[in-house]
Amino acid sequence: GDSVTQTEGLVTLTEGLPVMLNCTYQSTYSPFLFWYVQHLNEAPKLLLKSFTDNKRPEHQGFHATLHKSSSSFHLQKSSAQLSDSALYYCALSGGYQNFYFGKGTSLTVIP
Amino acid sequence: GPKVLQIPSHQIIDMGQMVTLNCDPVSNHLYFYWYKQILGQQMEFLVNFYNGKVMEKSKLFKDQFSVERPDGSYFTLKIQPTALEDSAVYFCASSLGRRDEQYFGPGTRLTVL
């Protein structure tokens, strides 16, 4: 069945360093991949969605590239900001089943 | 952008009582979801709902839970009876199609005493 696996637990980074949160997936279909971000005491919001045509989605300095060969959709940013501290969820939309959310990665950016 | 509303924002009830959480999804959306988030933990899928039926549910969706959306009104999550471990924030979400972006409501914080 479809599934998504992401960097679990806590990631702590110093401001200004690059961000990379891993996400790999399994799907028997051609899935859409998503990254959602949840700031403290807020609802999750869509950050990025994969395109069907190999374009690289970007938003708020974050980007992710869907690599079908490695079944990955890693989230990257060149320089972390304090305001990037949040929970990040990778999600997959595959075949008959709806969404699969990963377990979430808590990113903390320190000065 | 499209908004999902949830009522109430907070609810405090005694263990064993019934509670209904209400969600007003985006008006033209067809798929509806409930998620549970215990304080400090990740969000977990409970159930999704389409065309008047539960499509998929997780192990967290106990027999005491039920969902419905009568006549296109609120999409509701009912817990009867409640237990202490039901204390959490419950997020509702909706999407136009089953593969489309989900829009989340602000959540209902449920406290069971």
Side-chain angles (χ1 to χ4, degrees), chain A residues 21-84:
Chain A
L21 303 182
N22 291 335
C23 174
T24 56
Y25 66 89
Q26 261 188 306
S27 180
T28 52
Y29 300 87
S30 291
F32 287 114
L33 274 294
F34 303 78
W35 277 100
Y36 281 78
V37 60
Q38 184 182 22
H39 287 96
L40 190 62
N41 297 323
E42 294 184 12
K45 290 184 295 192
L46 182 69
L47 183 60
L48 292 173
K49 176 180 176 181
S50 65
F51 288 101
T52 54
D53 59 358
N54 295 328
K55 284 185 191 169
R56 188 179 82 166
E58 295 193 29
H59 185 62
Q60 297 178 347
F62 286 94
H63 61 89
T65 303
L66 181 62
H67 289 290
K68 293 182 182 178
S69 57
S70 57
S71 299
S72 66
F73 191 60
H74 303 323
L75 182 68
Q76 295 177 275
K77 186 175 183 182
S78 59
S79 175
Q81 297 177 280
L82 296 176
S83 57
D84 294 332

Side-chain angles (χ1 to χ4, degrees), chain A residues 30-32 34 36 38 43-44 46 89 93-99 101 103, chain B residues 31 33 35 37 42-43 48 55-56 91 98-102 104-106 109:
Chain A
S30 291
F32 287 114
F34 303 78
Y36 281 78
Q38 184 182 22
L46 182 69
Y89 293 96
S93 174
Y96 176 75
Q97 303 288 1
N98 287 289
F99 263 64
F101 277 88
K103 293 193 177 299
Chain B
Y31 291 80
Y33 312 83
Y35 294 87
Q37 187 172 37
Q42 75 271 16
M43 185 177 64
N48 61 31
M55 302 298 289
E56 186 188 10
F91 289 103
R98 60 177 176 79
R99 303 188 72 182
D100 293 327
E101 171 190 355
Q102 292 183 22
F104 284 81
R109 183 177 297 277

Side-chain angles (χ1 to χ4, degrees), chain B residues 52-89:
Chain B
K53 297 175 196 168
V54 169
M55 302 298 289
E56 186 188 10
K57 58 185 180 181
S58 73
K59 294 177 190 173
L60 294 178
F61 194 77
K62 304 178 295 183
D63 291 342
Q64 298 89 327
F65 288 37
S66 62
V67 291
E68 63 176 357
R69 192 184 187 215
D71 299 324
S73 59
Y74 286 148
F75 175 51
T76 63
L77 173 66
K78 185 186 293 186
I79 309 174
Q80 180 179 28
T82 50
L84 294 176
E85 61 265 26
D86 297 331
S87 293
V89 177

